[in-house]
Amino acid sequence: MSLRDQSMLEFVRDSAGEASRSVQLDRRDFLKVLGGGLLVCLTHSTARTQESGRIFGGHELPKDVSAWLHIAADGQVNVFTGKVEVGQNIRTSLAQQVAEELRVPFASITMVMGDTDLTPWDMGTFGSRTTPTMGPQLRAVAAAARETLVQMAAQRWQVDAATLTAADGKVTDPKKARSFTYGELTRGQKLVKLISGEERLTPATEWKIAGTAVPKVNGRDFVTGAHKYPSDMVLPEMRFGAVLRPEGFNATLASLDTSAAEALNGVQVVRDGDFIGVVALDAYTAQHALSAIQAQWNVPAQPSNEGLYEYLKNSPETGDDGGPQHVTGSVAQAMASADLKLENQYTVAYIAHAPLEPRAAVATWADGRLTVWTGTQRPFGVRDELMQEFRLSAAQVRVIQPDMGSGYGGKHTGEAAIEAARLSKAVGKPVKVVWTRQEEFTWAYFRPAGLIEIKAGIKRDGTVVAWEHHNYNSGPADIGTPYAVANQLIQYHPANSPLRQGSYRGLAATANNFARESHMDELAHAAGMDPLEFRLKNIADLRLRAVVQAAQDKFGWGRMKSSPERGFGIACGTDKGGYVATCAEVQIDPASRKVRIRRIVEAWESGAIVNPDGLRNQVMGAIVQSIGGALFEQILFANGRILNPHFAQYRLPRFSDTPQIEVVLLDRKDLPSAGAGETGIIGLAPAVANAIFAATGTRLRSMPMTPVHNGQEKSSVQFQS
Amino acid sequence: MAEFILDVNGAQLHVNAPADESLLSVLRNRLNLTGTKYGCGEGQCGACTVLLDGRATRSCLVAVSSAVNTKIFTIEGLEQNGKLSAVQQAFLDEGAFQCGYCTPGMILSATSLLHRTHNPTEEQIVEAMNGNLCRCGTYPRIVAAVKRAARLMPAKGASR
Ligand code: FES
Ligand code: FES
């Protein structure tokens, strides 16, 4: 298995792994999913499409056009997909692609998303998979529908279909100057047509709707407050629930007294094993009742963030095969003959997703059927969790995902959905559960912490000849070097994490790229070469070279030399089909060692651009978000407790932390579109660390760069906002 | 529980609530005005921002009892006769959101700022808005939207 496959494996493992008690996919199933399943959407060969019945752990992607798309008599088009909108703008970009292939005005498309009753099964929205997989899938569906509509018109007119054209929601017979609207052809009936996989898709060079900056479809609802997020859902007779949390992880209940809570007006206490929750007529009383419960917990001693990295290195996941390993040539021999050798350790702390909308769900039971509105990136995964938890069949559970207050990989699981469903079942009314910020910081899961060790050797001319990279716990995503290095040994070492960990925007690509690009920078300086020239010397991949050069041009790299007050740094990388190069300028006060990021230039390429405005927004957002993990975000914990579960203690990037940002987009209309929600996050941390080194000679090898140890910020610099 | 009369978006609304319940909770959970968001409940994120007598205020930190006798404006009250306010329009035009969860709070903070300072500098915008978090990282577009709104806004009489 190649390293790329491994990193794709990781996103499935991360996500489904969280829900492994309910989603019964083992590693081999994941491989099947990845080896065959997703390819069905990517490929256009009939043979592959026909395999689809055996994949997705029994979930077959429907081949009927009507499962994906419906054209009403008035020409309105409903498109069905299990993907979900979390701010990454796929509600718009997918609609653009359908409008393009179907040849209808953009405004006639409505995307129906993330509803397990209405949409085809979907694994989930993560891993930057929507654009490269769901995009082509829906394009094929729309093209098949268009072909069918042309056939229908040809039949009605008794002419050769090849003489007809489809455009603007109509099939036209140019010879006779007559036309049918799509609605007249379907009369609202289902289109009977199977996707063959042979559909001719419109090349990006001919796109008229896709490829343009269509504004967010329902943008107006977001500026008026009309959009209903999961936490905004209200049902008649709805009650408010809250759940009692243990004092720490792995705690056991020692004693419980709920009498004071039960005495409150309208309050019901629900106990089911170790689950203790309350239901009240209003949210205020629910919280009040929760705090009236007297509970004592025994919390076992557990590791803390002090000494974490040694712990991770010394706690291999038991029974694991040691993780993926990639070997080419001989690192040992190449190191022996290298002119210059360098070895270093890099660390990355646990961080939180901190979506501004915490987990939320509204559940209701009627006639033995459970319906839950919840914020999740995996509505079908949450349905599976609910089926398992309440012993229901798929037909008895419906999960609906209203466009939510984002997730960044943090909402793959269904905790709030299960809690709301349990409480609702107990009291016989619809129940809403909204996690508090503290709950979200404590009882969700984290981006894995990790230790990365790199050893490398170069020749006098700057050629990297040996590269050894070990990642303990943080993950295998993007662990392989994009540089042309003859001798490599690359290994991911899964560890027993003291904290619950899972998926995160970009996964371990951020950590691996930080370590790799910092190390490349160290090598460049050690060799006395310009860091950008050093990189170009070792890059064979033309797409990577192109983004480095685009960033170089825009930034004006080399025009100014770093000084003690001002540093310039560069980093680049590629993951999940996206190519990125980031240049950073930092300003430093040499007396106080206060650092400020002044300017970021990021060049980005991910194939043909579907929506340049949405893409720019994603790349810019990824850059801003990455400031936190790079400079100051860090979960502090001890003995099963999170020590900084509030925004006042866990610093997120704010307006004042945001530098001048310039995003350069390269549009490769000759290449398939890749996802772009994640990889933009990997460039900033190493670029900033490299810029700080260029100015000060101080090398920061940890993320965040201002780590806290023993309650003290332990860093030679301070980041100013 | 006591009865309160709140002046919300120009309407007198009667509500029964404990005196110390937060205005945020009352708006969302009793008056079903869910455009105002919960992000932290601790005054740290700005998602819950409303206007109290024209000033951006964290509704999670205000007890309902102390919101009586003030003019409360929420995101639902900015649109007039189907026309977006200048700030709303500017956010839409700049595409200054991703998931949009921070947007109501951002718009109200910006509205309050522009009320006091007609043509704010970039530093003034950053200072006034720094209590509002956008985890999606759309800050540069939000700054651009505030500047655009300043240009869109009539010089006088921008009452909301
Ligand atoms: S919810 Fe009020 S400031 Fe965060
Ligand atoms: S747009 Fe998502 S939090 Fe601001």
Side-chain angles (χ1 to χ4, degrees):
Chain A
M1 181 171 16
S2 79
L3 285 162
R4 285 274 162 239
D5 290 342
Q6 284 294 350
S7 54
M8 285 177 50
L9 171 62
E10 183 192 24
F11 75 72
V12 181
R13 200 169 95 117
D14 274 351
S15 56
E18 286 303 324
S20 55
R21 63 204 149 89
S22 52
V23 183
Q24 302 295 346
L25 290 174
D26 65 14
R27 276 197 181 201
R28 235 165 312 126
D29 286 322
F30 292 139
L31 289 176
K32 265 189 265 162
V33 169
L34 291 165
L38 294 180
L39 285 176
V40 170
C41 317
L42 286 167
T43 185
H44 298 293
S45 95
T46 317
R48 291 272 196 190
T49 310
Q50 284 169 349
E51 282 174 14
S52 66
R54 280 183 279 125
I55 53 173
F56 288 134
H59 292 288
E60 188 172 3
L61 284 187
K63 280 172 277 176
D64 297 339
V65 165
S66 65
W68 301 92
L69 185 144
H70 181 259
I71 304 174
D74 64 0
Q76 283 298 308
V77 182
N78 278 328
V79 180
F80 304 92
T81 171
K83 295 292 176 205
V84 301
E85 170 65 52
V86 299
Q88 81 284 43
N89 208 35
I90 59 168
R91 185 178 286 284
T92 305
S93 63
L94 289 174
Q96 282 178 270
Q97 295 178 75
V98 173
E100 183 70 54
E101 295 296 348
L102 194 56
R103 312 275 190 265
V104 297
F106 176 76
S108 59
I109 307 266
T110 301
M111 298 297 301
V112 178
M113 304 174 75
D115 181 327
T116 61
D117 266 16
L118 301 182
T119 65
W121 182 88
D122 188 84
M123 186 160 57
T125 305
F126 49 81
S128 289
R129 303 306 297 158
T130 301
T131 298
T133 61
M134 189 52 68
Q137 169 73 22
L138 293 180
R139 286 172 68 196
V141 165
R146 183 190 73 223
E147 285 167 17
T148 310
L149 291 160
V150 171
Q151 293 290 346
M152 287 164 82
Q155 223 159 44
R156 298 260 282 264
W157 286 321
Q158 293 293 309
V159 296
D160 178 3
T163 65
L164 304 180
T165 59
D168 212 22
K170 286 188 285 245
V171 180
T172 300
D173 178 356
K175 281 199 196 117
K176 298 250 171 81
R178 56 186 173 179
S179 61
F180 281 123
T181 65
Y182 287 177
E184 285 166 346
L185 289 167
T186 67
R187 299 188 185 109
Q189 300 295 307
K190 280 185 181 178
L191 284 171
V192 182
K193 169 82 175 174
L194 295 182
I195 309 156
S196 68
E198 306 288 344
E199 289 79 13
R200 279 202 11 246
L201 302 185
T202 311
T205 46
E206 291 166 27
W207 283 349
K208 295 188 183 67
I209 302 172
T212 67
V214 173
K216 190 175 173 80
V217 259
N218 46 353
R220 202 176 194 280
D221 290 348
F222 291 90
V223 301
T224 58
H227 174 70
K228 296 283 181 221
Y229 291 85
S231 56
D232 298 334
M233 291 304 304
V234 174
L235 293 179
E237 296 270 290
M238 189 179 82
R239 306 290 193 251
F240 294 81
V243 176
L244 185 71
R245 302 296 170 190
E247 235 164 67
F249 304 129
N250 308 306
T252 47
L253 192 59
S255 73
L256 180 73
D257 177 0
T258 58
S259 53
E262 271 156 319
L264 292 169
N265 195 15
V267 169
Q268 277 174 270
V269 174
V270 178
R271 177 146 191 207
D272 185 353
D274 267 0
F275 174 91
I276 299 138
V278 298
V279 177
L281 293 170
D282 61 87
Y284 174 95
T285 307
Q287 287 301 327
H288 195 58
L290 202 60
S291 49
I293 293 178
Q294 306 283 323
Q296 284 186 337
W297 302 89
N298 292 325
V299 188
Q302 292 166 64
S304 80
N305 53 282
E306 306 297 337
L308 172 66
Y309 304 111
E310 302 79 69
Y311 177 90
L312 290 174
K313 189 170 179 182
N314 298 322
S315 311
E317 198 175 69
T318 44
D320 198 275
D321 56 14
Q325 195 181 33
H326 170 80
V327 181
T328 54
S330 164
V331 166
Q333 277 174 23
M335 284 299 271
S337 66
D339 295 324
L340 201 151
K341 293 162 228 182
L342 196 67
E343 191 173 339
N344 268 313
Q345 288 192 332
Y346 302 87
T347 60
V348 48
Y350 288 105
I351 66 172
H353 307 78
L356 206 53
E357 182 185 38
R359 281 165 168 68
V362 174
T364 184
W365 296 78
D367 309 322
R369 199 158 189 263
L370 169 65
T371 303
V372 182
W373 287 259
T374 190
T376 175
Q377 294 170 249
R378 297 174 62 249
F380 287 88
V382 172
R383 184 185 66 175
D384 290 345
E385 289 186 50
L386 292 165
M387 284 161 57
Q388 170 102 354
E389 202 68 43
F390 300 101
R391 303 189 183 288
L392 299 168
S393 69
Q396 290 171 298
V397 184
R398 179 179 187 182
V399 174
I400 303 169
Q401 202 283 148
D403 297 4
M404 67 184 175
S406 209
Y408 323 109
K411 288 183 183 165
H412 287 194
T413 46
E415 299 87 350
I418 293 172
E419 289 160 6
R422 191 183 300 276
L423 294 172
S424 172
K425 193 175 183 191
V427 303
K429 300 275 186 204
V431 171
K432 178 192 270 197
V433 170
V434 180
W435 278 21
T436 63
R437 179 53 54 191
Q438 181 166 5
E439 286 178 297
E440 184 66 39
F441 262 121
T442 309
W443 298 99
Y445 51 88
F446 302 100
R447 184 173 81 181
L451 169 70
I452 295 170
E453 295 177 337
I454 299 182
K455 202 194 276 183
I458 62 174
K459 288 287 184 197
R460 219 171 298 283
D461 69 352
T463 308
V464 182
V465 290
W467 191 265
E468 186 166 341
H469 181 132
H470 295 272
N471 176 313
Y472 296 90
N473 189 61
S474 115
D478 195 24
I479 195 171
T481 175
Y483 296 100
V485 184
N487 304 284
Q488 302 182 20
L489 193 166
I490 290 166
Q491 189 163 10
Y492 161 53
H493 306 262
N496 279 320
S497 168
L499 295 185
R500 187 179 175 212
Q501 59 184 22
S503 189
Y504 196 103
R505 186 180 204 172
L507 298 168
T510 305
N512 284 319
N513 207 60
F514 170 68
R516 182 169 49 241
E517 283 300 285
S518 297
H519 206 76
M520 285 296 284
D521 209 68
E522 302 202 37
L523 289 168
H525 284 284
M529 285 178 75
D530 174 78
L532 194 144
E533 289 308 318
F534 178 74
R535 282 175 173 77
L536 288 178
K537 182 164 184 59
N538 289 285
I539 293 174
D541 185 331
L542 295 179
R543 293 175 74 180
L544 188 57
R545 184 171 278 272
V547 286
V548 169
Q549 284 166 341
Q552 171 181 24
D553 291 349
K554 179 80 179 179
F555 190 74
W557 181 268
R559 245 183 268 146
M560 293 210 349
K561 293 272 159 274
S562 293
S563 68
E565 288 86 36
R566 192 163 291 240
F568 304 99
I570 179 156
C572 62
T574 171
D575 192 36
K576 302 184 182 74
Y579 287 78
V580 63
T582 311
C583 292
E585 175 186 337
V586 299
Q587 184 188 311
I588 294 143
D589 177 352
S592 66
R593 307 277 285 177
K594 285 210 163 117
V595 178
R596 219 189 127 75
I597 308 174
R598 301 293 311 188
R599 182 178 175 226
I600 296 290
V601 169
E602 186 156 299
W604 173 264
E605 189 259 293
S606 51
I609 297 175
V610 179
N611 185 322
D613 184 63
L615 177 58
R616 201 171 280 282
N617 208 357
Q618 279 305 300
V619 174
M620 188 188 65
I623 293 168
V624 173
Q625 191 168 52
S626 66
I627 294 170
L631 307 190
F632 34 71
E633 282 181 48
Q634 178 184 13
I635 285 290
L636 303 175
F637 62 99
N639 277 324
R641 294 170 181 90
I642 301 300
L643 305 177
N644 55 345
H646 302 278
F647 286 146
Q649 303 157 329
Y650 183 98
R651 179 173 166 195
L652 295 185
R654 291 183 182 267
F655 280 95
S656 56
D657 298 309
T658 309
Q660 179 185 335
I661 298 173
E662 294 150 72
V663 174
V664 184
L665 300 180
L666 307 185
D667 191 6
R668 287 291 302 270
K669 290 192 191 299
D670 56 322
L671 293 171
S673 310
E678 301 187 74
T679 302
I681 202 169
I682 70 173
L684 178 131
V688 167
N690 296 342
I692 291 171
F693 179 83
T696 64
T698 301
R699 178 59 67 179
L700 301 176
R701 297 193 186 89
S702 65
M703 286 184 70
M705 292 177 215
T706 52
V708 172
H709 284 298
N710 296 320
Q712 299 276 312
E713 266 200 16
K714 216 181 83 180
S715 176
S716 43
V717 299
Q718 263 183 21
F719 288 95
Q720 213 181 3
S721 59
Chain B
M1 286 277 187
E3 183 172 1
F4 299 97
I5 303 173
L6 300 177
D7 182 344
V8 185
N9 301 328
Q12 307 292 310
L13 304 179
H14 292 245
V15 65
N16 275 305
D20 64 339
E21 182 166 347
S22 72
L23 177 60
L24 171 65
S25 177
V26 169
L27 290 169
R28 288 185 55 80
N29 300 320
R30 298 190 191 271
L31 297 171
N32 201 17
L33 288 166
T34 54
T36 308
K37 303 300 182 206
Y38 168 86
C40 67
E42 300 164 344
Q44 295 291 327
C45 76
C48 64
T49 304
V50 299
L51 299 184
L52 290 193
D53 291 334
R55 283 199 91 82
T57 307
R58 308 283 176 253
S59 65
C60 68
L61 296 182
V62 175
V64 61
S65 53
S66 57
V68 175
N69 296 325
T70 63
K71 286 197 186 319
I72 304 165
F73 267 91
T74 70
I75 190 72
E76 290 92 345
L78 295 190
E79 192 181 343
Q80 295 287 306
N81 306 318
K83 193 172 170 339
L84 299 179
S85 76
V87 180
Q88 287 175 310
Q89 189 62 51
F91 270 68
L92 193 56
D93 293 346
E94 292 287 342
F97 42 74
Q98 287 180 23
C99 77
Y101 195 79
C102 67
T103 308
M106 291 286 180
I107 287 177
L108 288 158
S109 286
T111 303
S112 169
L113 165 67
L114 293 174
H115 204 170
R116 285 174 284 136
T117 312
H118 186 62
N119 251 319
T121 62
E122 179 134 355
E123 289 69 42
Q124 286 173 315
I125 295 172
V126 167
E127 202 195 315
M129 307 284 291
N130 217 32
N132 289 71
L133 283 173
C134 174
R135 184 53 157 165
C136 295
T138 59
Y139 298 126
R141 285 188 177 203
I142 295 172
V143 171
V146 177
K147 289 182 185 165
R148 177 189 280 261
R151 292 195 301 271
L152 288 178
M153 254 157 106
K156 272 258 162 317
S159 61
R160 275 184 291 279

